[in-house]
């Protein structure tokens, strides 16, 4: 709950107050907003929706006007996000400071004094946790793990032996880092495990969603690059190299030894076959199945994936296919009749 | 293991005993049934399968007959389910009563005397657990969570701060409720987290399968409506509103801000793009990809999804497409020859 | 880190040393290898890649030669796997021996003296754990569970009441065995749970990847057969029978009551509708949707899945479909003109 005047908000976001300096007690999207709430409109086309909102005030972009008290600023959505942050719960309530007495910390683990370790965490031999990092309940760090500074690992996260997290990494509940990937050799008595002796490196500012998994490399390193955001229930196979500042949506799977460039975005439920290379800046539509390399900058969609425009053109043509069959049959009958003497 | 006479079962389900009053020691489907087991046949068309079953007795619908001892009743499947329930293990064996001494319960949490809290559960500040609710091992409830009456939360469940469960909610092992969703803004130094200050409300009689995730709202509430059943490994994005009495099959994903009406059924691995509205009573076939609103009562299928009949018509036509290409080429050759002088 | 001479490696794998008997300090794939590392080349076609590798020595197949010190042997990949195994961490470092004092073990559970039980494990009444089996932190075994010999259950695994694991079973972190499946009956007040009184049997030498789920049977047994390997985030429904020596890739889902034969392979994100029978030796391409039985030995692909050759033929033809529409329209115009007097 907020306790601010609209003028204070204008000052915080570097905007201009237009209208009454009302009291603001919360922040919410247009549809959720109640009386006293601040909301935002980022595009003039959405201004009409304000009439149905119960919001008490609004953040607007340059040149926009509204019937209710407003703050006009350069980037209303970003300004709104800044105000939202004031409503986050006190982190000390979610992650009480200090090492909980029930945590099992190996004698030679090195947990920074300014870290928070929740109840029943298990921290293995030789593992380090940097200052400002917060571990929820039941987090399991294997031996020889390195967690950087200001990371947040939510409840039930598992990081297996030898894996490394950079700084400001967020792992949501149930994330599993460093499990053995799907590597087997056919043998006389069935599939035989190929030992997976590599590790995983999660670089700075990466966020990984609930129940997502990143497999350790067979040899070498599986990497998720700086700033990349990974949604829930995503699978990253062994030896995959994900670049920097990518955004992968939920339930996507990347098979072993793929390379994903920088700034790549993927919709949900995308699947990528093993050893495929995805170039920088590629956009992949939801549910696409990728079986071969994608050149930098392309936008692809479909199963199997093609250039997005071609996929939509084909999808449109497919709806005309049953009729096309009838039309061709008609042409054939006409041609037949013509040939008959 | 049961220890009943068939007449007792007839009395329990309000049916009529036909044939010998045999002893019943178990209940099983047609194919699994052993001697002494009760089985069921719900439709006359399936009566023939009884000849291959080793069952000792059978529940039949009105007007059906069989060579083995039977109970004829209105709804054999439902009657069978009632008998199956007698074979469930004693809940006190699975969830021993009381609060396990290893549970970490915040001083101001309010756990009902008649609740069961398993080993190593962690219950945060200000959280309430209603009477008759049972928590398996390693359940983590953040601060300010509310769990209603007669809920069952299996091992390793996580419910994040501020989220609410109604009464008789079942969360299978590994479920994660209230994680921050996939909301970022592009910034100068990469994607920036939009604070997610909303919460999740799971209404009464909802069941959620293993390792499924429901993200908290950005602002406001992500809702799963009364009586809705969610299978394993399902992803529900931030601000999604799922209606009442829906059935969502495994590995389905619903993107942020979607609205799903009442009584909607989805097959497995369905994907729905963000901000889509699915009307009441819609049926969505397995693996469908939904990119736009679906009107109430429609049945859709495919990727991209269309009316199910159209999708099957197109799928049938597609199998004729390679041949169609040849037929058109033949017509073109014929036309060419005709034009030639 | 290894500390071997190449000749020792030749002796271990039964191969022939060719070139200098160099010191070997590690083992890595061609691209990851550093100075001192042993690598391998399994096919002559890949020999050219050696020139870009920094490896210090190489395992080669019969008749192959290289510019760097080599061991020629029958099966370089398998030999490499044997050397990799030397680099695995000491299992006693990952799973310290003995039962950790924080484990909650029921009075009548039977944990073999030679088993390892990690911190905060919970082992239910009547449960047995065989010799040589290792449980990571926070593993929850319900009552009446049986775990065979030499199994490895990683952190946060849940095995529900009455389920059985054979010998040498590996369950990666977050696996859930024995949850109630998606079985409901429509009732007057909504969907009603069909009691799930069956169990799960995981046979010998099965491996199951992180966050995968196997539902218990409604009645009888859900089975995963000997030697089958299941990747991460896979869903196996109630009463499914998976055969022996199958390989199922990540994010695949098998609906209730399906039967999968022996030696079946599935790519990632495959979905199979309920009650489908998949014959022995079937191969299913990634992302396929299977709605009907597949005969033994077939290779299928697509959504809906067809014989793989037909699917690729149709996919190729689809790319010509927009043009085909134009071609048919041209033929129709020509026919029209001809008919006009």
């Amino acid at each position: 709950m907020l306790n601010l005047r609209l003028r204070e908000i204008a000052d915080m976001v570097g905007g201009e107050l237009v209208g009454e300096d009302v009291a603001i007690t919360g922040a919410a999207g247009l549809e959720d907003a109640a009386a006293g709430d601040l909301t935002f409109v980022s595009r003039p086309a959405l201004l009409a929706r304000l009439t149905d909102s119960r919001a008490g005030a609004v953040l607007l972009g340059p040149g926009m006007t509204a019937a209710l008290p407003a703050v006009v600023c350069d980037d209303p959505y970003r300004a709104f996000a800044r105000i939202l942050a004031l409503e986050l719960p006190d982190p000390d309530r979610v992650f009480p400071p200090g090492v909980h007495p029930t945590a099992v910390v190996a004698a030679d683990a090195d947990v920074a004094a300014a870290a928070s370790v929740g109840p029943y965490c298990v921290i293995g031999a030789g593992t380090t946790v940097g200052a400002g990092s917060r571990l929820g309940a039941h987090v399991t760090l294997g031996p020889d793990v390195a967690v950087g500074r200001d990371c947040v690992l939510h409840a039930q996260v598992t990081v297996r032996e030898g894996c490394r997290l950079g700084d400001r990494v967020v792992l949501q509940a149930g994330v599993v880092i460093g499990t053995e990937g799907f590597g087997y050799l056919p043998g006389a008595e069935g599939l035989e495990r190929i030992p997976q002796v590599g590790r995983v490196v999660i670089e700075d500012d990466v966020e990984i969603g609930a129940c997502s998994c990143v497999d350790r490399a067979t040899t070498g390193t599986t990497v998720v690059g700086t700033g990349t955001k990974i949604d829930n229930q995503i699978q990253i196979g062994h030896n995959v190299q994900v670049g920097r500042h990518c955004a992968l949506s939920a339930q996507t799977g990347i098979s072993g030894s793929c390379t994903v460039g920088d700034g790549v975005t993927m919709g949900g439920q995308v699947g990528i076959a093993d050893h495929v290379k995805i170039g920088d800046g590629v956009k992949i539509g939801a549910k696409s199945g990728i079986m071969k390399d994608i050149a930098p900058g392309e936008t692809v969609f479909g199963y199997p994936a093609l250039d997005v425009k071609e996929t939509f053109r084909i999808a449109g043509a497919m709806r005309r296919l049953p009729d096309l069959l009838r039309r061709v049959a008609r042409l054939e009958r006409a041609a037949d009749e013509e040939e008959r003497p």
Side-chain angles (χ1 to χ4, degrees), chain A residues 92-259:
Chain A
D92 285 355
R93 187 168 175 88
V94 181
F95 301 96
V99 177
H100 195 274
T102 61
V104 172
V105 181
D108 66 345
D110 180 7
V111 177
S116 158
V117 176
Y120 302 124
C121 285
V122 176
I123 300 185
T127 287
T128 62
V129 177
S133 285
R134 294 166 183 269
L135 278 54
H138 304 115
V139 169
T140 301
L141 306 181
D144 308 312
V145 166
V147 175
R149 300 169 70 99
D150 298 315
C151 294
V152 179
L153 278 59
H154 287 275
Q156 324 278 9
V157 160
T158 298
V159 182
R160 290 275 304 275
E161 64 272 15
C163 296
R164 306 183 81 78
L165 314 182
D167 297 333
R168 297 170 304 280
V169 169
V170 177
L171 304 183
Q172 299 287 358
V175 163
V176 178
I177 304 291
T179 200
E180 283 96 355
F182 207 59
Y184 300 95
L185 274 171
E189 306 192 1
L191 295 168
E192 295 172 10
R193 163 58 76 189
I194 300 168
Q196 306 287 306
V197 306
R199 59 179 186 157
V200 175
V201 170
I202 308 291
E203 296 182 352
D204 296 345
D205 299 301
V206 168
E207 296 192 25
I208 301 187
C211 298
S212 285
C213 304
V214 183
D215 290 344
R216 66 194 313 115
T218 307
T219 70
T221 309
T222 305
V223 178
V224 179
T226 298
T228 285
K229 312 302 181 189
I230 290 179
D231 202 352
N232 295 358
Q233 298 174 349
I234 283 181
Q235 156 65 5
I236 309 282
H238 60 85
N239 291 82
V240 168
Q241 313 292 306
V242 178
R244 298 157 59 98
H245 303 298
C246 298
L248 316 188
S249 297
Q251 299 182 322
T252 281
I254 305 183
S255 302
S257 302
C258 285
T259 303

